[in-house]
Amino acid sequence: MSLTAKKRHSITVSQSTWEILKKLRALHDKSISRIIEESVLKMLKEDGYNTTYFKIMASVPECDEEENTELTKALDSLKDEDLKIAEEYNVEDKTHE
C-alpha cells in the first residue's frame, strides 16, 4: 500500500472521531488523510495481517465468489519471503546477478 498514490474518497466518521483527527492533525502537523493511512498500515502490522495479501488484492479488479475464495486461500499461504527476488538477470550483458 503506497502512501504516494492518492484518490479522493468520502468517509463517514463520528463527530468525536473527527475532533480527535483534527487534534492529531495539529499535534503531528500531518493531514487527516495521512493520519488515517498511517493508522491503517500500523493496524495491519500490529494485528499480524498478511500485508502481501492486501497489496495484491488492492491492485486487482473484483472477481466472483468462487475465484475470490480460491485466490484468498492461495494468497493467505504466501509470506513476505515468497515475494523476494531470488535472482536477477541483466538483459544487456546477459549475466546473472
Side-chain angles (χ1 to χ4, degrees), residues 26-82:
L27 285 171
H28 296 280
D29 193 30
K30 295 179 181 179
S31 71
I32 290 175
S33 295
R34 181 70 181 235
I35 293 167
I36 292 171
E37 288 177 287
E38 289 177 357
S39 298
V40 168
L41 293 174
K42 183 176 179 181
M43 180 181 155
L44 290 174
K45 183 177 181 180
E46 287 180 358
D47 290 352
Y49 286 102
N50 185 331
T51 56
T52 304
Y53 167 84
F54 285 100
K55 287 176 188 174
I56 293 171
M57 292 303 283
S59 67
V60 296
E62 297 278 330
C63 58
D64 66 40
E65 193 58 40
E66 184 179 338
E67 285 178 310
N68 189 45
T69 301
E70 183 180 333
L71 290 169
T72 299
K73 185 177 178 181
L75 291 172
D76 281 345
S77 68
L78 291 177
K79 307 285 185 240
D80 285 336
E81 62 201 36
D82 294 328

Side-chain angles (χ1 to χ4, degrees), residues 12-23 32:
T12 304
V13 296
S14 68
Q15 187 61 37
S16 60
T17 298
W18 186 249
E19 294 302 322
I20 291 169
L21 287 168
K22 290 191 316 186
K23 296 288 185 203
I32 290 175

